[in-house]
Amino acid sequence: MSFVSELKGHLYGVECIAFSPNGEHVVSVGGYIYLWDWRSGILVTKLKASSSCSAVTSVSFSSDAKFIVTAGKKHLKFWTVGSSPGTRLSNGTGSLAMHGKPVNLGPQKGSSFISVTSAIGMTNSPATADQGGDLFPIYVLTDEGTLCLVDSGLSVKKTVDLKVERGYALSASDKLIACACCNGIVKLFTSETLNHAGTLLYSNAKSFQGDTNFHFQTTEVERDFQLGPALPDAIACQFSTSEKLVVVYGDHTLYIWNIHDMKEATRCYALVSHSACIWDVKNLCCENMHDPSLACVARGCSGGVSFATCSADGTIRLWDLTLQSNLVEDDSNNQSLNAKQMDDTRLVSSGILERDTAGAGVDTQGFRSMAASSDGKYLVAGDCEGNLHIYNLLTSDYACFQGIHDAEILSLSFSLSSKKPVISGDVVDSNYFLASGGRDRIIHLYDVERNFDLIGSIDDHSAAVTSVKLTFHGHKILSCSADRSLVFRDVCVAESCCKISRRHHQMASHGTVYDMALDPAMEFVVTVGQDKKINTFDIASGKLTKSFKQDKDFGDPIKVSMDPSCSYLACSYSNKSMCIYDIINGELVTRVVGHGEVITGVIFLPDCKHVVSVGGDSCIFVWKLPSRMSSRMLQRMKENAVPLSPKDLGPPSAFNQIVFSEAEDQQFTHNAAKTLSPENSNHFGEKKFYQEERPPRISAFRFSISRLPRWAQAKVEGCSSVSKNPDCTSFQVILQDLNI
């Protein structure tokens, strides 16, 4: 995908845009109405849309490209281009002018129009002939849920009450008009008569894997339908073909509906993402179970790149970054076909971890932090209520420590999982620990190998613990806090007790220390905070060794991450930007923007080619690093890192117990959710966790087969025949290049 055109002129943002039917022009509204020849970048003309520029919320061309229609708050107006209504846009140049005519709204006078569209390809339809003019029908939707048909006399000819509380968007095909409404409702009407043709009802995204009840009603849905549980609003819709309707919902879910058969509509495609702020992102082991800090993929491992995100929407999502080569046919000039080799990068949803919080008795407002063990076995998450959720990715066991913290868990960290060689090649005995830090000022330490027994707690911070890290193979705990402190502690474990002692203590010059990052060699730690400095401390001595501050004011540095080779730092700022620095000299290498809200998490992927950022806008950005940065990182990894040792994994026992249902819808068999129940799993009840009279809830988490990592999919396919369409849950990602 390449950059095509940039149209500059708006001073106050762009409210809405539309392409002309012949694709030659673009109309945009934001302060003024702008008419562009987008290929040349020429502004054809502009004029003020209404007395209140913010009143226009939707714009559309008529299907014959003779008119532009704007709709908004107490506003519905037709615009002709040129000196007469017969002047077509395709004949226009930069000297054209636009003239507006208001519509006779009748009883709809004073209404707020939320969307406007025109019918497509109806030149020979009876409805068009009856109008006695060249104007194609125009359809308008009010925010209160009234569909209006505007005729050639610029008056409202017919209205239909959708019987919904609110309408959001319209789209028209040659046969149908689709109306996106509140509570997950999409209503369909015939374009000629506005007779009701059917209703598409949203299916809860959490039950999508395995939910084959594609709701479609051919009778009118009354307002009583909305008395049930609130569903995400259908906020946008668009016909991609006359038989395929794309619908976007308020929870960021995208469905493509097949309405070829009006009596049996089916959901043929679905993209599901986070619907609220993404609070954390972490790398996962490759299919060969290599520690992500080893940058195994960049060094030739074929295990793939995966990472996990957690969100305030109560879900943890696992993602694969895949790079495929596609052949694209170029039929320019219609003379010959030239095959072009193109790199197609996709961010594929490979898994969703969900638990039934109602059944488990866990009240949570969403996940706040996350950590993944370096052996690929455990993924843990802390929520906003202070509960700790433990997922065993190999057995599908799930445990929850309820109320382990009195407030939200802000940070989690694993130590190394076993005896591991450090960068120098020495083998060191390691403690397999998990540490959690919360807004309640407490740090807890758990022994992973003893069923996550709580073996120690620290309460010497006077404010929220913003970040906690285990280093030196579990023999040291580092923590930073809103009390301005960075504390270094030693951990000494005996057979009967665990002793945690404070070793060093540093105070920031000002405000909260937000985050810290450790280098893989466990020699230094980097902190960021409200003092706007990026500070480097020696872990052994606890002394400040380096400090630098960005000359320009980007706001407070919020999150910091280090690449596996210790060459670069990625730092997010409160102004929604992200900077990458050279660790050695502190030089700013590049700065990028794109998120709509503050960036809450940043990681370097183990391929040494990409950076992933997540934010309060619930978006995941994948940034492509320049080749010279990747080359430098890879060179340093080859010089310092230990050799990779491939691991031969047998099929996890949980995968062998999955029961496949033949009653699934054929188009979505591969998306069926396979929930391991206590009756079907011999892992339930084997582990009993009890911490200070707080027994965790033990159950299974639900996992979609089609969204498993590739190595797991292969194990499942080996024991059952499942039709699989890898494109069904793919997100096409536009990689943003980091310009130097």
Side-chain angles (χ1 to χ4, degrees):
M1 187 172 292
S2 60
F3 180 81
V4 177
S5 179
E6 184 176 22
L7 307 176
K8 294 183 177 180
H10 288 279
L11 300 178
Y12 309 104
V14 180
E15 184 68 27
C16 48
I17 62 173
F19 277 90
S20 61
N22 57 16
E24 295 183 3
H25 292 82
V26 169
V27 60
S28 59
V29 181
Y32 286 77
I33 299 178
Y34 289 72
L35 181 63
W36 308 86
D37 182 331
W38 66 269
R39 286 188 174 87
S40 64
I42 296 176
L43 175 63
V44 178
T45 186
K46 76 171 186 177
L47 76 162
K48 200 170 185 64
S50 66
S51 57
S52 174
C53 300
S54 61
V56 178
T57 58
S58 182
V59 63
S60 177
F61 284 89
S62 62
S63 296
D64 60 356
K66 295 180 181 179
F67 295 88
I68 294 172
V69 188
T70 56
K73 186 176 181 180
K74 300 180 181 180
H75 170 94
L76 185 61
K77 187 175 288 189
F78 280 65
W79 305 85
T80 58
V81 180
S83 57
S84 66
T87 304
R88 293 185 177 271
L89 296 180
S90 57
N91 299 328
T93 63
S95 61
L96 295 178
M98 297 177 65
H99 309 279
K101 294 182 180 181
V103 177
N104 179 15
L105 300 176
Q108 299 302 321
K109 185 177 182 181
S111 297
S112 293
F113 299 96
I114 200 74
S115 182
V116 60
T117 189
S118 59
I120 298 174
M122 294 177 57
T123 356
N124 299 322
S125 68
T128 306
D130 291 344
Q131 291 173 10
D134 294 332
L135 180 63
F136 288 84
I138 298 295
Y139 303 91
V140 191
L141 181 65
T142 70
D143 59 354
E144 294 182 348
T146 301
L147 176 62
C148 306
L149 170 62
V150 180
D151 63 12
S152 58
L154 301 186
S155 61
V156 177
K157 179 181 179 181
K158 186 175 182 179
T159 62
V160 176
D161 183 4
L162 303 186
K163 299 181 180 179
V164 295
E165 294 181 0
R166 183 173 175 82
Y168 286 97
L170 282 178
S171 183
S173 70
D174 57 342
K175 299 177 181 179
L176 296 173
I177 306 298
C179 306
C181 308
C182 63
N183 208 33
I185 298 175
V186 179
K187 296 202 171 187
L188 302 174
F189 297 87
T190 57
S191 55
E192 297 183 8
T193 62
L194 294 191
N195 291 331
H196 181 256
T199 300
L200 305 175
L201 304 182
Y202 175 89
S203 294
N204 195 323
K206 289 186 177 182
S207 62
F208 164 68
Q209 305 89 351
D211 173 19
T212 57
N213 296 319
F214 302 110
H215 304 287
F216 185 77
Q217 297 189 3
T218 56
T219 58
E220 195 68 75
V221 178
E222 303 295 335
R223 296 181 190 269
D224 293 343
F225 170 80
Q226 301 178 50
L227 296 178
L231 295 173
D233 297 330
I235 58 175
C237 62
Q238 181 68 47
F239 281 98
S240 59
T241 68
S242 60
E243 298 177 352
K244 298 288 180 66
L245 178 66
V246 182
V247 182
V248 177
Y249 296 90
D251 63 351
H252 298 185
T253 301
L254 183 149
Y255 288 169
I256 298 181
W257 294 90
N258 186 337
I259 52 177
H260 170 72
D261 185 351
M262 295 295 295
K263 296 181 180 179
E264 187 179 352
T266 58
R267 188 182 54 195
C268 60
Y269 199 101
L271 297 180
V272 183
S273 186
H274 287 295
S275 60
C277 172
I278 303 175
W279 279 115
D280 207 354
V281 56
K282 289 292 187 292
N283 278 309
L284 299 176
C285 290
C286 69
E287 66 182 57
N288 294 320
M289 308 307 285
H290 292 135
D291 187 338
S293 65
L294 299 177
C296 61
V297 176
R299 297 162 58 196
C301 175
S302 59
V305 176
S306 300
F307 61 91
T309 55
C310 69
S311 169
D313 64 8
T315 63
I316 299 172
R317 298 187 181 273
L318 282 65
W319 307 89
D320 285 341
L321 190 70
T322 63
L323 186 63
Q324 302 171 343
S325 295
N326 293 334
L327 288 176
V328 178
E329 294 180 346
D330 182 8
D331 58 352
S332 55
N333 301 325
N334 295 323
Q335 295 178 352
S336 62
L337 296 180
N338 299 317
K340 294 183 178 180
Q341 192 76 19
M342 300 184 66
D343 287 334
D344 182 20
T345 302
R346 294 178 182 267
L347 188 61
V348 181
S349 176
S350 59
I352 302 175
L353 308 187
E354 296 176 319
R355 74 255 179 252
D356 188 354
T357 57
V362 180
D363 182 19
T364 179
Q365 296 179 1
F367 292 113
R368 187 63 174 78
S369 57
M370 187 172 53
S373 62
S374 59
D375 60 358
K377 185 176 182 180
Y378 293 107
L379 184 66
V380 298
D383 66 27
C384 297
E385 301 296 325
N387 305 312
L388 180 63
H389 305 264
I390 303 170
Y391 299 91
N392 188 319
L393 299 180
L394 300 184
T395 66
S396 293
D397 281 345
Y398 162 75
C400 176
F401 289 84
Q402 295 186 41
I404 197 70
H405 284 269
D406 294 332
E408 58 186 330
I409 300 176
L410 299 178
S411 180
L412 291 163
S413 175
F414 276 102
S415 64
L416 294 179
S417 58
S418 60
K419 289 186 177 181
K420 294 261 185 174
V422 294
I423 297 299
S424 63
D426 298 329
V427 177
V428 179
D429 287 334
S430 65
N431 298 319
Y432 195 0
F433 289 160
L434 169 70
S436 63
R439 196 174 293 280
D440 58 359
R441 306 178 289 109
I442 305 297
I443 298 173
H444 290 311
L445 187 64
Y446 315 85
D447 190 332
V448 177
E449 292 182 328
R450 291 159 61 180
N451 293 334
F452 289 88
D453 285 346
L454 181 62
I455 59 175
S457 297
I458 308 168
D459 60 356
D460 55 358
H461 281 293
S462 60
V465 178
T466 53
S467 182
V468 59
K469 300 291 184 184
L470 286 167
T471 184
F472 273 77
H473 304 275
H475 293 284
K476 286 185 180 292
I477 299 179
L478 280 61
S479 63
C480 58
S481 169
D483 61 9
R484 300 193 297 132
S485 66
L486 170 64
V487 182
F488 301 76
R489 302 177 184 84
D490 291 336
V491 179
C492 181
V493 179
E495 292 184 1
S496 58
C497 65
C498 174
K499 182 180 179 181
I500 303 174
S501 57
R502 178 180 290 206
R503 172 70 58 158
H504 306 290
H505 182 267
Q506 294 284 349
M507 295 293 292
S509 59
H510 170 72
T512 300
V513 182
Y514 286 122
D515 194 22
M516 58 182 170
L518 296 172
D519 79 303
M522 298 176 288
E523 296 178 354
F524 62 90
V525 60
V526 178
T527 65
V528 295
Q530 284 184 322
D531 60 0
K532 303 184 187 299
K533 297 178 181 178
I534 298 178
N535 301 312
T536 303
F537 296 88
D538 181 80
I539 295 178
S541 65
K543 293 182 179 180
L544 178 68
T545 60
K546 191 186 306 180
S547 180
F548 60 91
K549 184 178 181 180
Q550 178 56 238
D551 295 333
K552 298 180 181 180
D553 186 10
F554 299 146
D556 294 340
I558 302 296
K559 290 291 182 180
V560 63
S561 179
M562 196 179 308
D563 82 89
S565 70
C566 301
S567 302
Y568 301 100
L569 281 175
C571 184
S572 67
Y573 285 84
S574 56
N575 70 343
K576 311 170 191 176
S577 68
M578 180 177 68
C579 296
I580 294 184
Y581 298 95
D582 188 308
I583 290 181
I584 305 300
N585 55 28
E587 177 186 351
L588 176 62
V589 179
T590 187
R591 176 176 176 266
V592 294
V593 294
H595 281 279
E597 298 293 340
V598 66
I599 298 175
T600 54
V602 179
I603 57 170
F604 286 87
L605 294 183
D607 62 357
C608 292
K609 294 181 179 180
H610 300 95
V611 173
V612 175
S613 62
V614 298
D617 54 6
S618 71
C619 293
I620 301 173
F621 276 62
V622 181
W623 307 88
K624 185 178 180 180
L625 293 170
S627 57
R628 71 178 185 88
M629 291 180 63
S630 298
S631 299
R632 178 185 174 187
M633 293 160 58
L634 182 57
Q635 182 62 34
R636 292 198 63 179
M637 287 299 302
K638 289 181 177 179
E639 293 172 355
N640 301 322
V642 296
L644 297 175
S645 55
K647 295 187 178 182
D648 183 17
L649 288 181
S653 56
F655 296 154
N656 294 331
Q657 299 165 16
I658 296 173
V659 179
F660 294 87
S661 171
E662 297 181 358
E664 301 290 348
D665 182 272
Q666 292 300 316
Q667 298 186 56
F668 276 83
T669 303
H670 57 282
N671 276 332
K674 311 304 177 185
T675 303
L676 295 177
S677 64
E679 294 78 9
N680 294 331
S681 175
N682 57 12
H683 295 278
F684 292 92
E686 290 184 2
K687 297 180 181 179
K688 301 296 183 182
F689 302 71
Y690 293 98
Q691 307 296 337
E692 298 180 344
E693 299 181 352
R694 291 173 177 169
R697 299 265 177 184
I698 303 175
S699 60
F701 58 84
R702 293 181 291 170
F703 214 84
S704 169
I705 294 305
S706 69
R707 299 178 179 184
L708 290 173
R710 290 190 301 275
W711 62 270
Q713 291 181 16
K715 305 297 183 184
V716 174
E717 290 172 350
C719 62
S720 179
S721 57
V722 183
S723 61
K724 202 167 144 304
N725 178 4
D727 292 331
C728 186
T729 56
S730 298
F731 284 79
Q732 185 69 40
V733 175
I734 302 174
L735 293 181
Q736 302 292 329
D737 288 323
L738 302 182
N739 298 317
I740 304 289

